[in-house]
Amino acid sequence: MLIEGALALSLLCNVTYDLTDTATTSFSNTPGDMPSHGKIETTRTHNGQLYVEIDDEGSRIRLPDRYITRSDDGWRTLTQVTSTESSIDGRFSFRTTIGGRMEIDRMTGNIRASIGNFVFGYVVFRGSCDRYEAPTERRF
């Protein structure tokens, strides 16, 4: 049993994450000289939301909109989910060769989730979670 009793847990997590853009450039100080090459990296911090649903029937995580393609709804199945009095941990698959991991501190509500691998690098999402009630009726 993941969560005490049969309690289902829905969380909305406001997170930040850094993305680095890389540009390669070549330049020459004097005409006819061999060009020099350089790399410019710019890191920007982004804000987003993660949704996490934990349930004995099945658990899942939804990454920020930037990571959702037109061909899916963004939800990823959580596997290897463990819950203690103080934490909830799980793993998920993001792409065929890219895995993910999620850790939530149940006392503070802090979340750390990451996607990536050693070839493509990692993106780490950090933030805070609160209970979330999904709307059952349309608002208008």
Side-chain angles (χ1 to χ4, degrees):
M1 192 175 305
L2 300 174
I3 304 293
E4 57 276 351
L7 176 67
L9 186 60
S10 295
L11 302 173
L12 170 61
C13 309
N14 291 305
V15 296
T16 61
Y17 55 99
D18 293 334
L19 295 178
T20 302
D21 296 321
T22 303
T24 304
T25 138
S26 21
F27 54 91
S28 175
N29 290 330
T30 310
D33 282 353
M34 291 294 293
S36 298
H37 301 284
K39 199 189 307 186
I40 300 170
E41 292 187 347
T42 306
T43 301
R44 292 189 175 100
T45 299
H46 299 271
N47 297 312
Q49 293 181 321
L50 289 174
Y51 292 88
V52 179
E53 294 181 354
I54 307 291
D55 195 317
D56 286 342
E57 305 278 318
S59 300
R60 60 190 193 156
I61 185 170
R62 186 175 191 271
L63 297 173
D65 290 342
R66 172 183 283 273
Y67 294 94
I68 299 172
T69 64
R70 292 181 185 187
S71 63
D72 71 31
D73 63 1
W75 287 101
R76 303 286 179 249
T77 301
L78 283 169
T79 60
Q80 301 177 27
V81 178
T82 58
S83 176
T84 67
E85 288 290 319
S86 60
S87 68
I88 301 170
D89 300 315
R91 296 183 181 275
F92 58 95
S93 177
F94 176 63
R95 300 255 196 284
T96 306
T97 61
I98 300 176
R101 184 171 181 187
M102 172 210 72
E103 304 159 350
I104 300 173
D105 183 316
R106 294 182 73 185
M107 305 309 285
T108 63
N110 291 339
I111 185 171
R112 182 185 182 281
S114 61
I115 56 173
N117 62 28
F118 66 92
V119 174
F120 298 109
Y122 293 88
V123 176
V124 178
F125 306 93
R126 289 185 171 86
S128 183
C129 300
D130 290 302
R131 285 183 182 264
Y132 168 73
E133 292 293 326
T136 55
E137 296 180 15
R138 287 193 314 232
R139 191 169 184 168
F140 47 86

